[in-house]
Amino acid sequence: MVRGNVIGNANRLSRVVFVGGGTAGWMAAAALSRFFDDGKRTITLIESDAIGTVGVGEATIPPICNFNAMLDIRESDFLRETRGTYKLGIEFRNWGLPGDSYFHPFGEFGQDFHGIAFHQLYLREIARGGNAGGIGDYSMSTVAARSGRFGKPAMGAKSLVNQIAYAYHFDASLYAAYLRRLAEKQGTTRQEGRIIEVRRDGETGDVTAVKLDNETVVGGDLFIDCSGFRGLLIEESLATGYEDWSHWLPMDRAIAVPTANVGPPDPFTRSTAHAAGWQWRIPLQHRTGNGHVFSSAYMQEDEARSILLGNLEGEPLAEPRTLRFLTGMRRKAWNHNVVSLGLSSGFIEPLESTSIHLIQNGIQRLFALFPDKAINPLERDEYNRGMREMFEDVRDFIVLHYKATQREDSEFWRYVRHMDVPDSLARKMELWRLHGRIFRENAELFTTPSWVAVMLGQNMRPESHDPIADTLDEGKVAAAMEQMRRAYADTAQKLPTHEGFIRQSGGWHEDAPRPFAAQGLDA
């Protein structure tokens, strides 16, 4: 037994070095430092104040709640420190056809009947000409979002509020700063400096150390590359390679600008499609984040900037800034002893707010496969396999939004409507077209309600519903659906307003503007 411990200690990985901070670096450092508390391992994070971060990832999806809980971050503290708000889903405008609007909610649609998916019963009711309304009428998150209200699920409570699932909007730079304080308190050492040299082992090719512009040399056993699109270690040093997905996702530019709030913050993100891209609107406590994501192959930057500025709701608070990117992923997220996280590992455009989740997923997979000093190739390959699956799952769901359009009013929309798509997505779309069936494989991020929301929201009506739905009594199902719809509407009206909920729970920052407090505290 003693002998085993000696061998284990000799091979124990003891020095982890992060290259780059930002959201990715400080998320990972805060998580990892929580467990490095035996005094025998060190975490060093290198970043330079002279190098900026992208910092516009201001919207998230529900798994972020689990990440914050893992770090014992109180939600009210988190919202207050990041000027955050709640997010119940995304409102899409002009995606199916100009003038269309639909909502992609977090949470479920209705309630299944005897194991039959609710959306199949909804499709049957529509097919028989019943007064089923919109499918959003059966979503607690959707109905609450429409009225600007919010409520949190309570364990053990028997209420439709428990069908709400939520995420957050927050200031990404404030989140990184908050996590930095947490990580440093837990023992992470921040090293200021710019890397000018990467040193590698002559035999293994592993990275052994990095040299900074102040002559400091930082050695490590495992390096986490959070250097952004540049990929300082994973690409510039290790030449890992990048898989280009721009033929499916031709967006390659984003222009971002913050604006003053013009009303209480909505509990949802908005995505409005334009001629060659789409515009986001993300409401925070102290401002609103805005941006125009577009394809430079179909629109000039000046025109994209003009469209963005012409569709703002509030006064700009800064000059717009342009970000350039290439959709795709590294061929290996983990190469040698370097793990890439965040933008250095790849980028799928922010349409469904998945960037921060891909960081979170990478961190969790690293924990599950945390290596010894001598990294096992099998475990490294397993990490890469899992990250590829996650990236491809997200890719397919984002591509769906473009493929499932009926727009023909611009060259861009004609291209994406008629383009070939990955086989994995084509199979899903065909299964939906036939009988509205959705099959999830492995550990896919987006659940059945998400696929239903986008497909129905963008006018993809299947040819028929699942025949199994015809086994249930039409009258009983119709009556149950009508009762369900009324219950969602009644429950939503009893919830506090979104702003009011944040204030009452202690999550509103004292420096955030207060002109809407009266409306915000209405019950």
Side-chain angles (χ1 to χ4, degrees):
M1 190 68 159
V2 173
R3 204 174 144 203
N5 285 337
V6 171
I7 292 173
N9 288 340
N11 193 33
R12 184 180 60 197
L13 186 152
S14 60
R15 300 174 300 164
V16 179
V17 178
F18 288 84
V19 173
T23 305
W26 288 114
M27 278 182 72
L32 193 58
S33 61
R34 181 173 175 79
F35 301 101
F36 275 30
D37 61 356
D38 60 3
K40 298 176 182 178
R41 304 172 190 254
T42 62
I43 298 176
T44 304
L45 188 146
I46 302 167
E47 67 176 347
S48 172
D49 289 333
I51 301 175
T53 59
V54 173
V56 295
E58 298 178 331
T60 55
I61 56 178
I64 188 68
C65 300
N66 298 330
F67 182 80
N68 282 354
M70 180 184 72
L71 299 181
D72 286 335
I73 295 175
R74 290 179 55 191
E75 187 171 82
S76 57
D77 294 341
F78 162 75
L79 290 172
R80 189 170 57 252
E81 292 299 316
T82 65
R83 314 304 193 268
T85 57
Y86 290 103
K87 175 184 175 182
L88 293 171
I90 305 174
E91 180 190 50
F92 288 90
R93 295 182 175 183
N94 303 331
W95 278 84
L97 286 167
D100 284 356
S101 178
Y102 73 94
F103 195 79
H104 170 201
F106 299 139
E108 302 295 321
F109 284 118
Q111 299 174 22
D112 296 349
F113 285 63
H114 303 295
I116 299 174
F118 174 80
H119 78 271
Q120 292 290 357
L121 301 175
Y122 175 80
L123 290 172
R124 188 187 73 163
E125 191 67 8
I126 293 294
R128 78 181 192 95
N131 184 27
I135 196 165
D137 296 341
Y138 305 89
S139 159
M140 194 67 246
S141 293
T142 301
V143 178
R146 284 174 183 165
S147 57
R149 296 178 181 273
F150 182 80
K152 282 182 61 174
M155 187 175 296
K158 294 182 179 180
S159 168
L160 290 175
V161 178
N162 275 13
Q163 292 187 19
I164 283 179
Y166 66 90
Y168 309 108
H169 306 121
F170 53 77
D171 186 313
S173 61
L174 292 177
Y175 186 45
Y178 182 77
L179 292 175
R180 173 183 170 179
R181 294 193 295 272
L182 180 61
E184 290 182 320
K185 183 180 179 180
Q186 294 171 170
T188 298
T189 299
R190 180 188 181 274
Q191 176 70 56
E192 168 67 28
R194 185 172 58 85
I195 294 173
I196 60 172
E197 179 187 347
V198 178
R199 297 178 178 176
R200 300 176 62 186
D201 185 282
E203 294 183 6
T204 66
D206 288 353
V207 174
T208 58
V210 293
K211 182 180 179 181
L212 310 186
D213 54 1
N214 59 11
E215 300 299 319
T216 299
V217 175
V218 180
D221 303 316
L222 181 70
F223 290 80
I224 313 296
D225 188 343
C226 303
S227 61
F229 291 121
R230 179 183 178 187
L232 176 63
L233 300 184
I234 197 73
E235 193 60 46
E236 291 188 5
S237 296
L238 300 180
T240 302
Y242 194 83
E243 196 167 300
D244 182 349
W245 290 344
S246 60
H247 49 296
W248 293 313
L249 295 168
M251 306 304 193
D252 60 355
R253 299 285 189 277
I255 305 175
V257 63
T259 57
N261 290 338
V262 296
D266 289 320
F268 58 87
T269 302
R270 177 176 294 151
S271 169
T272 303
H274 294 308
W278 58 276
Q279 181 173 333
W280 77 72
R281 190 203 65 163
I282 299 174
L284 307 179
Q285 293 182 24
H286 60 311
R287 61 173 174 80
T288 298
N290 308 271
H292 186 188
V293 180
F294 66 100
S295 171
S296 63
Y298 296 93
M299 180 175 287
Q300 296 297 314
E301 187 170 324
D302 287 348
E303 182 183 0
R305 177 187 174 111
S306 178
I307 289 173
L308 172 62
L309 295 178
N311 286 277
L312 299 176
E313 296 179 349
E315 177 186 357
L317 300 177
E319 282 297 310
R321 60 179 178 131
T322 300
L323 310 169
R324 292 172 172 79
F325 57 87
L326 177 67
T327 52
M329 65 174 292
R330 299 284 172 213
R331 297 194 182 280
K332 296 179 182 178
W334 184 346
N335 193 5
H336 286 278
N337 62 334
V338 174
V339 178
S340 56
L341 288 176
L343 301 177
S344 63
S345 67
F347 185 70
I348 302 174
E349 62 157 277
L351 183 59
E352 284 282 353
S353 310
T354 52
S355 293
I356 287 176
H357 178 74
L358 288 170
I359 297 169
Q360 178 182 341
N361 187 264
I363 295 168
Q364 291 170 328
R365 288 183 189 276
L366 180 59
F367 283 177
L369 292 160
F370 199 77
D372 294 316
K373 187 180 295 185
I375 295 170
N376 189 298
L378 178 63
E379 294 176 332
R380 183 169 52 203
D381 290 346
E382 179 63 18
Y383 181 92
N384 287 328
R385 184 197 62 78
M387 289 307 296
R388 171 167 289 278
E389 280 187 357
M390 178 60 67
F391 265 85
E392 290 179 347
D393 289 344
V394 173
R395 175 202 67 193
D396 285 1
F397 190 62
I398 302 302
V399 173
L400 170 69
H401 294 66
Y402 293 100
K403 181 66 175 178
T405 186
Q406 297 82 55
R407 293 185 62 160
E408 295 273 2
D409 53 297
S410 71
E411 185 181 358
F412 169 81
W413 287 108
R414 288 190 292 272
Y415 170 76
V416 295
R417 180 179 181 182
H418 297 289
M419 68 180 174
D420 291 331
V421 298
D423 291 343
S424 49
L425 174 58
R427 183 174 64 254
K428 271 192 169 67
M429 294 179 70
E430 182 63 10
L431 285 167
W432 172 263
R433 184 187 68 81
L434 293 172
H435 287 100
R437 294 185 173 112
I438 295 170
F439 295 99
R440 297 176 65 239
E441 301 172 359
N442 304 316
E444 288 184 21
L445 175 60
F446 290 99
T447 60
T448 295
S450 293
W451 289 88
V452 169
V454 176
M455 288 175 167
L456 286 183
Q458 295 189 202
N459 310 310
M460 284 183 63
R461 189 73 59 81
E463 293 180 358
S464 183
H465 53 268
D466 191 330
I468 195 68
D470 291 325
T471 63
L472 299 183
D473 182 89
E474 291 182 355
K476 291 180 180 178
V477 170
M481 289 177 63
E482 176 59 27
Q483 182 180 9
M484 200 182 301
R485 186 166 50 165
R486 288 198 305 268
Y488 284 124
D490 292 344
T491 301
Q493 291 308 309
K494 296 174 184 176
L495 296 174
T497 62
H498 177 217
E499 181 181 335
F501 186 96
I502 299 173
R503 290 184 182 277
Q504 291 165 357
S505 62
W508 196 268
H509 196 279
E510 60 182 10
D511 292 339
R514 302 180 64 87
F516 316 112
Q519 302 102 301
L521 286 170
D522 288 343

